[in-house]
Amino acid sequence: MSVQERKQRERADRERLIVATARELAEQQGWDAVTTRRLAERIEYSQPVLYSHFRGKREIIGAVALQGAAEMAVALRAATAAADGPRERVAALARAYLDFAERHPAVYDALFQLDGGLAYAREDTPEPLKDAFAALMESLGEVAGEGVHPGVFTEVFWASLHGLATLTRARRLPPEYTELRVELLVDRLAVL
């Protein structure tokens, strides 16, 4: 291995460490606790080293969001692959989405609540975000209904899931009715 290859590998390892540490800190204490100073202390590198990878917290949030989008896409596809039939796929997708939001609140916030400097719903949207949306649309497009734009239907269904996730997490909706909400969403929005 050349010196250049070793340096590139070390740089990539440091970047993964920064993102993993930021994510861990955010999950434990919230995004307000994530500062470059605290990250530098936790990873045992100087702040200038951190800034050589990310210009600031906004880019770190973006990196966590991209990682989270890839993980969400995998979780959604795994849930829908195990389901049999369109209704079951959509219900599995909804449950997997809400489960992801509940299990990874800081990642979910990085994806959908915080400014990570990422472009959404545009030509320059990063691939992991496009793929997460595609994972939603793979199951939702087939139940959009005749004459309904599958992408727009997916956006409406996704917005409904996002509302359920954020309102439940904020304790504005009682969690014991989550399954009933999923059933209503699937039965009322999807053409099955």
Side-chain angles (χ1 to χ4, degrees), residues 3-57:
V3 171
Q4 181 65 23
E5 289 171 329
R6 183 182 52 78
K7 286 183 179 185
Q8 287 174 341
R9 188 186 72 219
E10 288 171 355
R11 180 172 176 75
D13 288 345
R14 261 193 322 271
E15 193 165 301
R16 280 190 292 277
L17 177 62
I18 293 166
V19 172
T21 304
R23 181 176 173 165
E24 178 183 316
L25 186 57
E27 291 290 2
Q28 291 171 352
Q29 299 176 31
W31 278 104
D32 287 342
V34 179
T35 64
T36 53
R37 174 174 287 169
R38 288 186 81 187
L39 284 174
E41 288 171 3
R42 282 212 174 185
I43 65 171
E44 298 178 347
Y45 283 101
S46 67
Q47 283 183 287
V49 169
L50 235 116
Y51 285 116
S52 75
H53 291 274
F54 300 98
R55 286 182 281 187
K57 183 176 176 176

Coordinates of all heavy atoms in Angstrom, one line a residue, residues 3-57:
V3 N 1.9 5.3 0.4 CA 1.7 6.3 1.4 C 0.4 7.0 1.2 O -0.4 7.3 2.1 CB 2.9 7.2 1.5 CG1 2.6 8.4 2.5 CG2 4.1 6.5 2.0
Q4 N 0.2 7.4 -0.1 CA -1.1 8.1 -0.4 C -2.3 7.3 -0.1 O -3.3 7.8 0.4 CB -1.0 8.5 -1.9 CG -2.2 9.2 -2.4 CD -2.3 10.6 -1.8 OE1 -1.3 11.2 -1.3 NE2 -3.5 11.1 -1.7
E5 N -2.3 6.0 -0.5 CA -3.4 5.1 -0.2 C -3.7 5.0 1.3 O -4.8 5.0 1.8 CB -3.2 3.7 -0.8 CG -3.3 3.7 -2.3 CD -2.8 2.3 -2.8 OE1 -2.0 1.7 -2.2 OE2 -3.4 2.0 -3.9
R6 N -2.6 4.9 2.1 CA -2.7 4.8 3.5 C -3.3 6.1 4.1 O -4.2 6.0 4.9 CB -1.4 4.5 4.2 CG -1.4 4.3 5.7 CD -0.1 4.1 6.3 NE 0.9 5.1 6.0 CZ 1.0 6.4 6.5 NH1 0.2 6.8 7.4 NH2 2.0 7.2 6.1
K7 N -2.9 7.2 3.6 CA -3.4 8.5 4.1 C -4.9 8.6 3.7 O -5.7 9.1 4.6 CB -2.6 9.7 3.5 CG -1.3 9.8 4.2 CD -0.6 11.0 3.6 CE 0.8 11.2 4.3 NZ 1.5 12.4 3.9
Q8 N -5.3 8.2 2.6 CA -6.7 8.2 2.2 C -7.5 7.3 3.0 O -8.6 7.7 3.4 CB -6.8 7.9 0.7 CG -6.4 8.9 -0.3 CD -6.4 8.4 -1.7 OE1 -6.5 7.2 -2.0 NE2 -6.4 9.4 -2.6
R9 N -7.0 6.1 3.3 CA -7.7 5.2 4.2 C -7.9 5.8 5.6 O -8.9 5.7 6.2 CB -7.0 3.9 4.2 CG -7.9 2.8 5.0 CD -7.1 1.5 5.2 NE -6.1 1.7 6.2 CZ -4.9 1.2 6.2 NH1 -4.5 0.4 5.2 NH2 -4.0 1.5 7.1
E10 N -6.8 6.4 6.1 CA -6.8 7.0 7.5 C -7.8 8.1 7.5 O -8.6 8.3 8.5 CB -5.5 7.4 7.9 CG -4.5 6.3 8.2 CD -3.1 6.8 8.4 OE1 -2.8 8.0 8.2 OE2 -2.2 5.9 8.8
R11 N -7.9 8.9 6.4 CA -8.8 10.1 6.4 C -10.2 9.6 6.3 O -11.1 10.1 7.1 CB -8.5 10.9 5.1 CG -9.4 12.1 4.9 CD -9.0 13.0 3.8 NE -9.9 14.1 3.6 CZ -10.1 15.1 4.4 NH1 -9.3 15.3 5.5 NH2 -11.0 16.1 4.2
A12 N -10.5 8.5 5.6 CA -11.9 7.9 5.5 C -12.2 7.4 6.9 O -13.4 7.5 7.3 CB -11.9 6.9 4.4
D13 N -11.3 6.7 7.5 CA -11.6 6.2 8.9 C -11.9 7.3 9.9 O -12.8 7.2 10.7 CB -10.4 5.4 9.4 CG -10.2 4.1 8.7 OD1 -11.1 3.6 8.0 OD2 -9.1 3.5 8.8
R14 N -11.1 8.4 9.8 CA -11.4 9.5 10.7 C -12.8 10.1 10.4 O -13.5 10.5 11.4 CB -10.3 10.6 10.5 CG -9.2 10.6 11.5 CD -8.4 11.9 11.5 NE -8.1 12.4 10.2 CZ -7.1 12.1 9.4 NH1 -6.2 11.2 9.8 NH2 -6.9 12.7 8.3
E15 N -13.1 10.2 9.2 CA -14.4 10.8 8.8 C -15.5 9.9 9.3 O -16.5 10.4 9.9 CB -14.5 11.0 7.3 CG -15.7 11.8 6.9 CD -15.6 12.3 5.4 OE1 -14.6 12.9 5.1 OE2 -16.5 11.9 4.7
R16 N -15.4 8.6 9.2 CA -16.4 7.7 9.7 C -16.5 7.8 11.3 O -17.6 7.8 11.8 CB -16.1 6.2 9.3 CG -16.5 5.9 7.9 CD -16.4 4.4 7.7 NE -15.0 3.9 7.6 CZ -14.2 4.0 6.6 NH1 -14.7 4.5 5.4 NH2 -13.0 3.5 6.6
L17 N -15.4 8.0 11.9 CA -15.4 8.1 13.4 C -16.1 9.4 13.8 O -16.8 9.4 14.7 CB -13.9 8.1 13.9 CG -13.7 8.4 15.4 CD1 -14.4 7.2 16.2 CD2 -12.2 8.5 15.7
I18 N -15.8 10.5 13.1 CA -16.5 11.8 13.4 C -18.0 11.6 13.2 O -18.8 12.0 14.1 CB -16.0 12.9 12.4 CG1 -14.5 13.2 12.7 CG2 -16.9 14.1 12.6 CD1 -13.8 14.0 11.7
V19 N -18.5 11.0 12.1 CA -19.9 10.8 11.9 C -20.5 9.9 13.0 O -21.6 10.2 13.5 CB -20.2 10.3 10.5 CG1 -21.6 10.0 10.3 CG2 -19.8 11.4 9.5
A20 N -19.9 8.8 13.2 CA -20.4 7.9 14.2 C -20.4 8.5 15.6 O -21.4 8.3 16.4 CB -19.5 6.6 14.3
T21 N -19.4 9.3 16.0 CA -19.4 9.9 17.3 C -20.5 11.0 17.4 O -21.2 11.1 18.4 CB -18.0 10.5 17.5 OG1 -17.0 9.4 17.4 CG2 -17.9 11.1 18.9
A22 N -20.6 11.8 16.3 CA -21.7 12.8 16.3 C -23.1 12.1 16.4 O -23.9 12.6 17.2 CB -21.6 13.6 15.0
R23 N -23.3 11.1 15.7 CA -24.5 10.4 15.8 C -24.8 9.8 17.2 O -25.9 10.0 17.7 CB -24.5 9.3 14.7 CG -25.8 8.5 14.7 CD -25.7 7.5 13.6 NE -26.8 6.6 13.6 CZ -27.2 5.8 12.6 NH1 -26.5 5.8 11.5 NH2 -28.2 5.0 12.7
E24 N -23.8 9.2 17.8 CA -23.9 8.6 19.1 C -24.2 9.7 20.1 O -25.1 9.6 21.0 CB -22.6 7.9 19.5 CG -22.6 7.3 20.9 CD -21.3 6.7 21.2 OE1 -20.7 6.0 20.3 OE2 -20.8 6.9 22.3
L25 N -23.5 10.8 20.0 CA -23.7 11.9 21.0 C -25.1 12.5 20.8 O -25.8 12.8 21.8 CB -22.6 13.0 20.8 CG -22.6 14.2 21.7 CD1 -22.4 13.7 23.2 CD2 -21.4 15.1 21.4
A26 N -25.6 12.7 19.6 CA -26.9 13.2 19.3 C -28.0 12.3 19.8 O -29.0 12.7 20.3 CB -27.1 13.5 17.8
E27 N -27.8 11.0 19.6 CA -28.8 10.0 20.1 C -28.9 10.0 21.6 O -29.9 9.9 22.2 CB -28.5 8.6 19.6 CG -28.7 8.4 18.1 CD -30.1 8.5 17.6 OE1 -31.1 8.7 18.4 OE2 -30.3 8.3 16.4
Q28 N -27.7 10.2 22.3 CA -27.7 10.2 23.7 C -28.2 11.5 24.4 O -28.9 11.5 25.4 CB -26.3 9.9 24.2 CG -25.7 8.5 24.0 CD -24.3 8.4 24.3 OE1 -23.6 9.4 24.6 NE2 -23.8 7.2 24.2
Q29 N -27.8 12.6 23.8 CA -28.0 13.9 24.4 C -28.7 15.0 23.5 O -28.9 16.1 24.0 CB -26.7 14.5 24.9 CG -26.0 13.6 25.9 CD -24.6 14.1 26.3 OE1 -24.4 15.3 26.3 NE2 -23.7 13.2 26.6
G30 N -29.0 14.6 22.3 CA -29.6 15.6 21.4 C -28.6 16.3 20.6 O -27.4 16.4 20.9
W31 N -29.1 16.9 19.5 CA -28.2 17.6 18.6 C -27.5 18.9 19.2 O -26.4 19.3 18.8 CB -28.9 18.0 17.3 CG -28.9 16.8 16.4 CD1 -29.9 15.9 16.1 CD2 -27.8 16.3 15.6 NE1 -29.6 15.0 15.2 CE2 -28.2 15.1 14.9 CE3 -26.4 16.6 15.5 CZ2 -27.4 14.4 14.1 CZ3 -25.6 15.9 14.7 CH2 -26.1 14.8 14.0
D32 N -28.2 19.5 20.2 CA -27.5 20.7 20.8 C -26.2 20.3 21.5 O -25.3 21.1 21.7 CB -28.5 21.3 21.8 CG -29.7 22.0 21.2 OD1 -29.5 22.3 20.0 OD2 -30.7 22.3 21.9
A33 N -26.1 19.1 21.9 CA -24.9 18.6 22.6 C -23.7 18.4 21.6 O -22.6 18.2 22.0 CB -25.1 17.3 23.4
V34 N -24.0 18.3 20.3 CA -23.0 18.0 19.3 C -22.3 19.4 18.9 O -22.9 20.2 18.2 CB -23.6 17.3 18.1 CG1 -22.5 17.1 17.0 CG2 -24.3 16.0 18.5
T35 N -21.1 19.5 19.4 CA -20.3 20.7 19.0 C -19.0 20.2 18.5 O -18.6 19.1 18.8 CB -20.1 21.6 20.2 OG1 -19.3 20.9 21.2 CG2 -21.4 22.1 20.8
T36 N -18.3 21.0 17.7 CA -17.0 20.6 17.2 C -16.0 20.4 18.4 O -15.2 19.4 18.3 CB -16.4 21.6 16.2 OG1 -16.4 22.9 16.8 CG2 -17.3 21.6 14.9
R37 N -16.1 21.2 19.4 CA -15.2 21.0 20.6 C -15.5 19.6 21.2 O -14.5 18.9 21.5 CB -15.5 22.1 21.6 CG -14.6 21.9 22.9 CD -14.7 23.0 23.8 NE -13.9 24.1 23.2 CZ -13.9 25.3 23.6 NH1 -14.7 25.7 24.6 NH2 -13.1 26.2 23.0
R38 N -16.8 19.3 21.5 CA -17.1 18.0 22.1 C -16.7 16.8 21.3 O -16.2 15.8 21.7 CB -18.5 17.9 22.5 CG -18.8 18.9 23.7 CD -20.2 18.7 24.2 NE -20.3 17.5 25.0 CZ -21.4 17.0 25.5 NH1 -22.6 17.6 25.2 NH2 -21.4 16.0 26.3
L39 N -16.9 17.0 20.0 CA -16.5 15.9 19.0 C -15.0 15.7 19.0 O -14.5 14.6 19.1 CB -17.0 16.2 17.6 CG -18.5 16.0 17.4 CD1 -18.9 16.5 16.0 CD2 -18.9 14.5 17.5
A40 N -14.3 16.8 19.0 CA -12.8 16.7 19.0 C -12.3 16.1 20.2 O -11.4 15.2 20.2 CB -12.2 18.1 18.9
E41 N -12.9 16.4 21.4 CA -12.5 15.7 22.6 C -12.8 14.2 22.6 O -12.0 13.4 23.0 CB -13.3 16.4 23.8 CG -12.8 17.8 24.2 CD -13.7 18.4 25.2 OE1 -14.7 17.8 25.7 OE2 -13.4 19.6 25.5
R42 N -14.0 13.9 22.1 CA -14.4 12.5 22.1 C -13.6 11.6 21.2 O -13.3 10.5 21.5 CB -15.9 12.4 21.8 CG -16.8 12.7 22.9 CD -18.0 11.9 22.8 NE -18.8 12.1 24.0 CZ -19.9 11.5 24.3 NH1 -20.4 10.6 23.5 NH2 -20.6 11.8 25.4
I43 N -13.2 12.2 20.0 CA -12.5 11.4 19.1 C -11.0 11.5 19.2 O -10.2 10.9 18.6 CB -12.9 11.7 17.6 CG1 -12.5 13.1 17.2 CG2 -14.3 11.4 17.4 CD1 -12.7 13.4 15.7
E44 N -10.6 12.4 20.1 CA -9.2 12.7 20.5 C -8.4 13.2 19.3 O -7.3 12.7 19.0 CB -8.6 11.4 21.1 CG -9.3 11.0 22.4 CD -8.7 9.8 23.0 OE1 -7.9 9.0 22.4 OE2 -9.0 9.5 24.2
Y45 N -9.0 14.1 18.6 CA -8.3 14.8 17.5 C -8.6 16.3 17.8 O -9.5 16.7 18.5 CB -8.8 14.5 16.1 CG -8.3 13.2 15.6 CD1 -9.1 12.0 15.6 CD2 -7.1 13.1 15.0 CE1 -8.7 10.8 15.1 CE2 -6.6 11.9 14.5 CZ -7.4 10.7 14.6 OH -7.0 9.6 14.1
S46 N -7.8 17.2 17.2 CA -8.0 18.6 17.4 C -9.1 19.1 16.5 O -9.5 18.4 15.6 CB -6.7 19.4 17.0 OG -6.5 19.2 15.6
Q47 N -9.7 20.3 16.9 CA -10.8 20.8 16.1 C -10.3 21.1 14.7 O -11.1 20.9 13.8 CB -11.3 22.1 16.8 CG -12.2 21.8 18.0 CD -12.8 23.1 18.6 OE1 -12.0 23.8 19.2 NE2 -14.0 23.3 18.3
P48 N -9.1 21.6 14.4 CA -8.7 21.8 13.0 C -8.7 20.5 12.2 O -9.1 20.5 11.0 CB -7.2 22.3 13.1 CG -7.2 23.0 14.5 CD -8.1 22.2 15.4
V49 N -8.5 19.3 12.8 CA -8.6 18.1 12.1 C -10.1 17.8 11.7 O -10.4 17.4 10.6 CB -8.0 16.9 13.0 CG1 -8.4 15.5 12.3 CG2 -6.5 17.0 13.1
L50 N -11.0 18.1 12.7 CA -12.4 18.0 12.4 C -12.8 18.9 11.2 O -13.5 18.5 10.3 CB -13.2 18.4 13.6 CG -14.2 17.4 14.1 CD1 -13.8 16.9 15.5 CD2 -15.5 18.0 14.2
Y51 N -12.3 20.1 11.3 CA -12.6 21.1 10.2 C -12.0 20.7 8.9 O -12.4 21.2 7.8 CB -12.3 22.5 10.6 CG -13.2 23.1 11.6 CD1 -12.8 23.4 12.9 CD2 -14.5 23.3 11.3 CE1 -13.7 24.0 13.8 CE2 -15.4 23.8 12.2 CZ -15.0 24.2 13.4 OH -15.9 24.7 14.3
S52 N -11.0 19.9 8.9 CA -10.4 19.4 7.6 C -11.3 18.4 6.9 O -11.1 18.1 5.7 CB -9.0 18.8 7.8 OG -9.1 17.5 8.4
H53 N -12.3 17.9 7.7 CA -13.2 16.9 7.1 C -14.6 17.6 6.9 O -15.2 17.3 5.9 CB -13.4 15.7 8.1 CG -12.3 14.8 8.2 ND1 -12.0 13.8 7.3 CD2 -11.2 14.8 9.0 CE1 -10.9 13.2 7.6 NE2 -10.4 13.8 8.7
F54 N -15.0 18.4 7.8 CA -16.3 19.0 7.7 C -16.2 20.5 8.1 O -15.5 20.9 9.0 CB -17.3 18.4 8.7 CG -17.6 16.9 8.5 CD1 -16.9 16.0 9.2 CD2 -18.5 16.5 7.5 CE1 -17.1 14.6 9.0 CE2 -18.7 15.2 7.3 CZ -18.0 14.2 8.0
R55 N -16.9 21.4 7.3 CA -16.8 22.8 7.6 C -17.5 23.2 8.9 O -17.3 24.3 9.4 CB -17.3 23.6 6.4 CG -16.4 23.6 5.2 CD -16.9 24.4 4.1 NE -17.9 23.6 3.5 CZ -18.5 23.9 2.4 NH1 -18.3 25.1 1.8 NH2 -19.4 23.1 1.8
G56 N -18.3 22.3 9.4 CA -19.0 22.6 10.7 C -20.1 21.6 10.9 O -20.2 20.6 10.2
K57 N -20.9 21.9 11.9 CA -21.9 21.0 12.4 C -22.9 20.8 11.3 O -23.4 19.6 11.2 CB -22.6 21.7 13.6 CG -23.7 20.8 14.2 CD -24.2 21.5 15.5 CE -25.3 20.7 16.1 NZ -25.8 21.3 17.4

